[in-house]
Amino acid sequence: PKPPSAAEAKGRQRYNFLAGSARDQVVFGSERPGQPRPNPDVPSTPRGSDVPCHVVDQWAAHMKSKQIQRVLCLLGDSELSFYEEPLLPQLRRHFGDQVVNHVAPEAPDAFSRINAVLDGARRGQEKIVVFCSTGQARTGLVLAYWVHSEHSLPIADAVTEVIEYAARHGAVRKPTVEQTIQFLLGAHGGQLMPSMRILGAGGGAGSFATPRVDSSMHINFVQMGGTIDKDYPRMTGGYAFEITDPAVRRILSVVPRNFTFDVLSVCRKDSQELTVEDRQALVEMIRRTPGTDFIVTHGTDTMIETAQYVAAAKGLVDRRVVVTGAMRPQKMMDSDASFNIGVAVGALNVIGVGVYVTMNGRVHPAHGVRRDGRTGHFVSK
């Protein structure tokens, strides 16, 4: 038997080869043939000397010993020049012309091309290895996307699973939530390696799903009442308030939008006056209304309680529900209503199935949010 490599002797996977998750045996990740850096924790691509053909042969033999039938190369043009002979023709001699694919990380259509390659492996139930230079960042991103899309995990959970599964089994993967989301959104034309951080330092820990890439989005807005819909008409003897027509109609009437919508109403109440019957009526409306995307406008005092009630309801397995409102009525000049509605609409493009609360520019799962008693802001638990 062949003696273990230095990496294997230290408990590391040879070639940084491993599936993305214990739940998957189709898509695997690896470093490139001849990657000279002995420490897989260092994500660099040193030039080194040209990689000889026998090193590529050894890499291919190892992949074949793992029953790999397809290959997806994510190297850039400069990295492909690291070989004594062109790398892709060498790999095609080992695996076949039709099953060795190359997608450069800067390709404007990287997402669609990678997705097509993975879909071919899925349909054929053929094991595929995806590799970049070290098998950490680009490869990790594709593995996180695959685990997310194939096994219906929220993006944050898929990223964590890929990283932790690799760490437990002697490999290194370094995808990030923000890069995975941006890759899915098609930022920079769908390139594989986006650079702009869209969730801020530290990433985000929400439950994100594959964003929509078409214009067929339809949202059902459901009115429950609350400050967002309040008006203060002149009354005899002073001012009073009443909850009037849904503010969302006025908000959406003055902005360009690429979705259709309906506005429904359960009730027009101050949220402190809502009853169990009101909340159940909301659940029934969401359950019986065609469509999957809902934004519920609601008073802020009991918004969390309503969101958690809906989250606990049965029969809403394919629904995305965002509960939002406003601290000031939409009819006031300094209202936060339009901002909160905008964040809620944006959230529906990336969240997974479930119930969420959106206020103060943040999106929280229904059971992962609380109200800060000092600031009044909605914050993560």
Side-chain angles (χ1 to χ4, degrees), residues 279-293:
R279 292 187 171 101
Q280 187 58 37
L282 172 62
V283 169
E284 293 302 323
M285 179 167 285
I286 294 172
R287 181 181 290 129
R288 71 171 184 263
T289 301
T292 59
D293 295 337

Side-chain angles (χ1 to χ4, degrees), residues 182-204:
Q182 197 169 20
F183 174 53
L184 287 163
L185 286 171
H188 300 281
Q191 293 176 2
L192 178 60
M193 293 303 293
S195 59
M196 181 174 66
R197 298 174 67 85
I198 63 172
L199 293 182

Side-chain angles (χ1 to χ4, degrees), residues 26 31 41 48 65 112 114 135 172-173 217 279 360-361:
V26 174
E31 64 188 37
D41 294 331
S65 75
S112 61
I114 289 170
V172 179
R173 305 283 185 246
M217 186 177 195
R279 292 187 171 101
N360 311 115

Side-chain angles (χ1 to χ4, degrees), residues 56 85 174 270:
V56 177
E85 294 186 10
K174 295 186 177 180
D270 184 286

Side-chain angles (χ1 to χ4, degrees), residues 32 38 66 82 94 121 165 177 263 280 286-287 294 345:
R32 68 179 177 89
K66 303 295 185 181
F82 291 178
H94 286 284
Y165 181 72
V177 171
V263 180
Q280 187 58 37
I286 294 172
R287 181 181 290 129
F294 293 79
V345 171

